[in-house]
Amino acid sequence: LAADGSEFRNILNTMRRFRDFFPIMLLACLTSTAFGQSVRAYMAKGMSAFKAESYSSALAYFQVVIEEGGERTDALFYAGESARQMRSYNLAEKYLSAIPADERRDEFAMTDFYLGMAKKSLEKFDEAIELFKRFAAYRDDISKYRDKALQEIKNCEWAKEQIQQPNKVELTH
């Protein structure tokens, strides 16, 4: 140690800074752990509600997960499908569109199909047709839905024709 005690003062100052900084670090660690647990709990509750077909509750839980835990693919998918089941097609479009194309496989393989159905309901027929075509091209393993996607392409094309050339009906009474 230096004769003037400067080294001792430096050590003492470092310890004081650590003492002031330690509670902040401890709080940050505990908060992030609790936050992670709450996101997991909301996700679990959302999945339970979704399986019970309580789509409005499920959507509320998944929205919290998305807001608090970031745009997780699972939360986006189930929020989008919950919204679609409730016929809230704008919300369904918002969440399902946010799922990156490279993650639309395995558990989320139905993303393009569900997004196509939402866009069809919003009368965005061209976008829906593209989604149904993409789904049908890559989903040979889900023949039931592949066949339905091909039928939905025809339905969208018919709807576009009807909008362009509506039937004129005259009502008299």
Side-chain angles (χ1 to χ4, degrees):
L1 292 177
D4 65 354
S6 62
E7 195 170 326
F8 179 73
R9 279 193 296 275
N10 286 341
I11 292 171
L12 194 57
N13 285 336
T14 302
M15 288 176 65
R16 284 184 186 133
R17 280 190 219 121
F18 179 74
R19 181 195 68 203
D20 294 341
F21 186 65
F22 181 74
I24 295 169
M25 286 302 297
L26 182 63
L27 182 62
C29 290
L30 292 175
T31 302
S32 66
T33 302
F35 174 74
Q37 289 175 348
S38 69
V39 168
R40 280 191 296 275
Y42 276 105
M43 193 66 198
K45 288 179 181 180
M47 290 305 296
S48 293
F50 185 85
K51 288 175 184 168
E53 298 180 6
S54 178
Y55 298 116
S56 60
S57 296
L59 179 59
Y61 287 121
F62 295 131
Q63 285 176 321
V64 171
V65 172
I66 292 165
E67 290 169 13
E68 303 295 327
E71 293 193 347
R72 296 172 38 160
T73 301
D74 54 353
L76 289 168
F77 179 80
Y78 289 108
E81 181 53 8
S82 296
R84 190 181 75 83
Q85 290 290 338
M86 295 169 38
R87 294 183 173 89
S88 181
Y89 300 116
N90 287 314
L91 268 180
E93 177 185 34
K94 172 186 172 185
Y95 292 126
L96 293 170
S97 294
I99 298 172
D102 63 329
E103 293 187 28
R104 296 179 183 188
R105 59 188 176 335
D106 301 326
E107 182 181 354
F108 313 113
M110 296 296 294
T111 301
D112 285 337
F113 182 82
Y114 293 151
L115 182 54
M117 295 297 285
K119 291 203 182 257
K120 181 185 90 167
S121 296
L122 293 169
E123 297 182 8
K124 296 180 179 181
F125 300 117
D126 290 326
E127 293 175 47
I129 289 170
E130 289 307 310
L131 288 159
F132 291 132
K133 283 181 179 177
R134 185 167 54 199
F135 178 83
Y138 295 106
R139 300 311 315 177
D140 288 337
D141 58 328
I142 311 175
S143 63
K144 171 184 167 186
Y145 287 100
R146 183 180 181 280
D147 293 344
K148 183 140 175 60
L150 295 172
Q151 183 60 49
E152 290 299 337
I153 292 169
K154 293 176 186 174
N155 294 344
C156 288
E157 289 169 347
W158 179 86
K160 283 175 47 177
E161 288 174 20
Q162 295 305 306
I163 289 172
Q164 292 169 355
Q165 300 172 357
N167 292 331
K168 295 187 181 192
V169 178
E170 192 175 315
L171 298 176
T172 59
H173 55 95

